[in-house]
Amino acid sequence: MNRRDFLKAIAALGVGGAAVYKGSNHLKAQAAVMKKSSEAKLAGHWAMVIDVSRFQKPDDIKQVAAACHRFHNVPKIDDPDHEIKWIWQEDFEHTFAELESQYLSEKIKKMDFPVLCNHCENPPCVRVCPTKATFKRADGIVAMDYHRCIGCRFCMAACPFGARSFNFIDPRLFIEEVNPELASRTIGVVEKCNFCVERLAKGQEPVCVKAAKGAIIFGDLDDPDSTVRKVLNENFFIRRKVELGTGPSIYYVIRGGVAGA
Amino acid sequence: MLEKALAGSKGYYAWIGFLIILILIGLAAYLKQFQYGLGVTGMSRDVTWGLYISQFTFMVGVAASAVMVAIPFYLHDHKAFGPVVILGEFLAVAAVIVCVLFIFVDLGQPGRMLNLVLHPTPSSVMFWDMVVLMGYLLLNFIIGWTVLGTEKKGFPAPGWVKVLTYIAIPWAISIHTVTAFLFAGLPGRYYWLTAIMAARFLSSAFAAGPALLIIICLTLRKLTSFKTSAEAIQSLAKIVTYAMIANVFFVLLEVFTAFYSNIPGHMAALKYLFAGLDGYNNLVPFMWTAAVLAILGITLLLIPRMRRNEKVLVAALAAVFIASWLDKGIGLVLGGFVPNAFGKVTEYIPSLTEVMIIAGIYAIGFFVLTILYKVVIAVREQSPNAEH
């Protein structure tokens, strides 16, 4: 290659690069238009308020969990060492271990609490993930890319809420009824609740919110007129392990309703 | 130089053959894990890291401990360590390879390992651990191999090696500090959430690593022409003594902070490890064995008459090494998962497949170490004063 050809090649590279750059800008602009015109539910900070008093029939939480797990192709593995769970129930003393007291009322002691990923404001799982397979979206949702996860389980050591499950065995052998709309996971990756990002993108509320028939309120904490903000304003609430500074986005209202405030 | 590893005595071949059998058994066990998933191990939703990560943690310490030979020799001109320095460097090489393998077998999706490089994430301590471990591996291999090569040809080592040896010293400290940070910055894991984690890691490493090195030196003295001087052995033994005292002291500091503050989260793991929690007490015998061996080892090492008797010395060093291994190679990682996020206890027992994989990885470590040491010894035998 002589000097002239070399310069020509450099120039061609430059033009090509500019074209690619322009193209990517064009794509971005298109994406922005799509976002605006679609019916997607958008928010600054998605959060849930769980009215625990409305979850007290024995199977209330189990039904919600079953709906979630069915929708997301979560396998049903009975061995507690290998089980996968996105939302499930725990009692008060395990959900709020640090608030345990011998003088706790029998009523509260026997209450069931739905527990799930807290979609923290400062998520330790996102901080420790070495591949950004777990990441926080601009709307506050802590989501995962199951195709990027290497299965190191650092996020499970970092999560103080036990919200994450690892696919120790092939999950596809344990899915009773496959939901063809959504993917299932492969062996060797971590998974957890994703606040139903797939449904939000279509303008629908999360499965558990729908199944809970009003016992779980879902909305935008950044919007002062949202229902979640109104409920939080009118009720005393607790969150799990706030002392750790992760900023959980799941709020529990214990006595429930406006009257219980 | 590598060709020197090909010729050896019958004993040498028998040893290599034994290691290769262990490696093949480990490989077969790993293929089973690769096929079926990490479900073949004893790990669970609550105890998500087991013996793989704890062996990794322990061996990072062994790798870092090469610096305990390098500092006296390179910075303080402690000449007795001259012949031993290269053993420390090659021990570090073998140890880092073992570490990388333990991380590899712990991955749920090993085929995606390169995502660590393709999507580098500086907020993750694991990213930095990869960087410092790879750097340390290269540093020690380049230093050791170059010095040996020039020694063979009868030249002094080139000047740039000296620069690398100086870089390797803080680098060794960094590998174990960063490894401690994997654990020490996680909210809610109170057993790990301690500012002296890195200090504990380094002190136990500087006890266990040189203890292993002395035992290796004495073995080589018995089996080969490589004779480490009694002075070098005694200097190293003193390093082991004070590092182990510091290690035990740091553990007692943890006990004080946990129990005087009386904060349940900080007490729980220590209670689990030394007394049992909610009726779960699998690790109690291991931890008390570690405590007894630590005290025994320190006592024997502190008495000069005992330390100078090489038979007693080996027993004392073995006690220190096993105590450190039980504390860091078992208790530290497992204790961090107790209790779980809901205040419940899940216990962990490694599976046979897991143990076979671990044995295979250690066999690979010994294989690398044997080859490297064989080359060292052959080079030294051929050229006592390097005249070719």
Side-chain angles (χ1 to χ4, degrees):
Chain A
M1 187 187 268
N2 60 32
R3 184 162 174 268
R4 196 185 153 85
D5 285 346
F6 177 72
L7 287 174
K8 263 189 191 167
I10 295 283
L13 266 179
V15 172
V20 169
Y21 179 72
K22 237 182 154 177
S24 75
N25 269 357
H26 175 67
L27 280 179
K28 263 185 212 157
Q30 221 174 20
V33 172
M34 273 171 66
K35 213 174 186 181
K36 260 187 201 161
S37 65
S38 76
E39 68 269 337
K41 274 187 189 286
L42 302 173
H45 181 177
W46 286 118
M48 265 180 196
V49 181
I50 298 179
D51 186 345
V52 184
S53 55
R54 295 185 51 178
F55 267 115
Q56 296 317 319
K57 280 204 287 322
D59 284 338
D60 283 350
I61 296 175
K62 281 186 185 130
Q63 273 168 16
V64 169
C68 162
H69 291 175
R70 218 168 24 239
F71 180 72
H72 287 287
N73 287 320
V74 174
K76 194 177 181 313
I77 301 170
D78 292 330
D79 179 357
D81 282 355
H82 297 159
E83 80 182 313
I84 310 285
K85 37 192 184 181
W86 285 29
I87 180 168
W88 69 101
Q89 71 178 49
E90 293 281 349
D91 58 13
F92 182 87
E93 67 165 321
H94 291 108
T95 311
F96 297 98
E98 63 286 350
L99 299 181
E100 200 190 335
S101 162
Q102 56 174 316
Y103 306 116
L104 205 62
S105 78
E106 279 302 310
K107 191 184 149 207
I108 299 229
K109 255 185 209 168
K110 284 184 183 151
M111 272 190 172
D112 289 323
F113 290 72
V115 291
L116 65 158
C117 169
N118 275 286
H119 295 277
C120 299
E121 288 159 38
N122 305 302
C125 55
V126 171
R127 210 182 303 145
V128 302
C129 177
T131 62
K132 304 187 193 83
T134 290
F135 55 95
K136 193 179 157 211
R137 307 192 335 164
D139 58 5
I141 294 178
V142 176
M144 278 192 73
D145 179 346
Y146 301 116
H147 299 274
R148 190 184 281 194
C149 174
I150 59 172
C152 71
R153 310 186 296 296
F154 202 0
C155 55
M156 297 179 81
C159 173
F161 302 107
R164 293 176 158 266
S165 306
F166 178 72
N167 287 289
F168 281 99
I169 50 179
D170 187 357
R172 285 167 188 155
L173 306 173
F174 298 89
I175 302 173
E176 283 164 349
E177 200 184 324
V178 176
N179 171 9
E181 269 181 63
L182 287 186
S184 54
R185 265 68 58 194
T186 179
I187 199 168
V189 298
V190 173
E191 62 177 83
K192 67 168 194 75
C193 157
N194 65 356
F195 262 10
C196 286
V197 287
E198 310 90 345
R199 287 174 58 88
L200 292 175
K202 289 194 208 159
Q204 298 163 333
E205 58 192 356
V207 172
C208 60
V209 176
K210 191 168 167 232
K213 294 177 190 127
I216 300 177
I217 302 140
F218 186 71
D220 185 1
L221 278 184
D222 281 358
D223 173 6
D225 298 323
S226 64
T227 324
V228 278
R229 284 286 293 273
K230 271 182 206 144
V231 176
L232 293 184
N233 199 30
E234 288 161 6
N235 294 275
F236 177 72
F237 59 83
I238 48 176
R239 291 184 291 167
R240 292 178 65 200
K241 303 187 182 178
V242 276
E243 74 279 8
L244 298 179
T246 67
S249 299
I250 308 289
Y251 293 75
Y252 294 91
V253 172
I254 293 220
R255 290 190 57 204
V258 182
Chain B
M1 280 189 294
L2 206 53
E3 75 282 355
K4 299 202 181 301
L6 294 174
S9 63
K10 268 189 186 161
Y12 172 73
Y13 278 116
W15 170 242
I16 292 286
F18 169 70
L19 290 178
I20 288 175
I21 290 169
L22 278 185
I23 292 169
L24 291 177
I25 292 173
L27 184 66
Y30 181 71
L31 289 178
K32 183 181 168 196
Q33 179 185 299
F34 189 79
Q35 182 74 22
Y36 184 76
L38 282 162
V40 300
T41 69
M43 289 185 270
S44 62
R45 197 181 185 281
D46 286 333
V47 185
T48 49
W49 282 340
L51 279 188
Y52 295 152
I53 293 297
S54 61
Q55 299 318 290
F56 155 78
T57 307
F58 182 75
M59 290 309 287
V60 173
V62 172
S65 72
V67 80
M68 284 292 103
V69 190
I71 289 178
F73 180 68
Y74 290 122
L75 298 187
H76 301 282
D77 201 26
H78 185 60
K79 291 208 167 57
F81 279 176
V84 191
V85 166
I86 197 160
L87 296 189
E89 284 155 357
F90 282 164
L91 178 61
V93 170
V96 175
I97 289 171
V98 165
C99 292
V100 173
L101 288 171
F102 275 123
I103 291 289
F104 181 79
V105 298
D106 190 64
L107 293 181
Q109 282 286 340
R112 298 180 187 167
M113 194 174 188
L114 281 180
N115 280 3
L116 286 167
V117 185
L118 294 172
H119 308 288
T121 311
S123 68
S124 174
V125 182
M126 202 172 278
F127 167 76
W128 292 107
D129 215 28
M130 176 189 70
V131 171
V132 292
L133 279 172
M134 287 303 153
Y136 192 65
L137 179 64
L138 280 177
L139 275 173
N140 278 286
F141 185 74
I142 293 171
I143 293 169
W145 203 250
T146 311
V147 168
L148 200 61
T150 53
E151 200 173 297
K152 188 182 166 215
K153 296 190 179 96
F155 292 113
W160 57 265
V161 171
K162 189 133 207 176
V163 179
L164 291 189
T165 57
Y166 290 141
I167 294 173
I169 289 170
W171 204 290
I173 309 288
S174 84
I175 64 166
H176 220 21
T177 304
V178 175
T179 304
F181 287 175
L182 284 176
F183 299 95
L186 305 180
R189 303 278 179 201
Y190 288 106
Y191 189 51
W192 299 339
L193 193 71
T194 163
I196 59 165
M197 186 63 102
R200 277 182 67 189
F201 271 30
L202 287 165
S203 62
S204 77
F206 295 161
L212 178 65
L213 192 59
I214 297 176
I215 295 175
I216 290 174
C217 284
L218 292 174
T219 313
L220 290 180
R221 188 199 274 170
K222 214 170 178 181
L223 299 175
T224 72
S225 63
F226 194 99
K227 311 289 184 202
T228 308
S229 69
E231 191 196 347
I233 299 280
Q234 287 302 314
S235 296
L236 267 176
K238 280 175 209 154
I239 290 171
V240 173
T241 313
Y242 291 102
M244 193 60 184
I245 290 171
N247 184 28
V248 171
F249 177 64
F250 288 153
V251 174
L252 294 175
L253 294 184
E254 301 276 20
V255 173
F256 171 80
T257 301
F259 286 90
Y260 195 80
S261 73
N262 201 42
I263 296 174
H266 288 274
M267 294 188 290
L270 282 169
K271 278 186 188 164
Y272 169 67
L273 290 173
F274 286 97
L277 195 66
D278 302 342
Y280 296 97
N281 49 18
N282 268 353
L283 294 181
V284 174
F286 293 100
M287 295 313 286
W288 281 107
T289 308
V292 171
L293 287 177
I295 301 303
L296 178 75
I298 289 173
T299 313
L300 290 177
L301 286 170
L302 271 178
I303 304 168
R305 202 158 39 87
M306 297 291 178
R307 192 178 61 234
R308 285 193 202 109
N309 178 335
E310 283 185 355
K311 275 192 187 126
V312 180
L313 177 67
V314 169
L317 293 171
V320 165
F321 185 82
I322 294 168
S324 308
W325 182 76
L326 290 170
D327 170 42
K328 200 154 99 192
I330 289 189
L332 186 111
V333 171
L334 300 183
F337 289 106
V338 174
N340 75 1
F342 298 93
K344 298 174 190 168
V345 183
T346 303
E347 289 201 294
Y348 157 89
I349 298 169
S351 71
L352 182 63
T353 311
E354 210 173 345
V355 173
M356 275 161 33
I357 293 173
I358 291 167
I361 291 177
Y362 276 128
I364 293 176
F366 273 114
F367 183 84
V368 172
L369 192 68
T370 307
I371 301 291
L372 290 173
Y373 280 9
K374 181 79 174 65
V375 174
V376 171
I377 293 165
V379 166
R380 294 257 163 98
E381 271 173 358
Q382 239 174 36
S383 50
N385 275 311
E387 274 174 337
H388 272 278

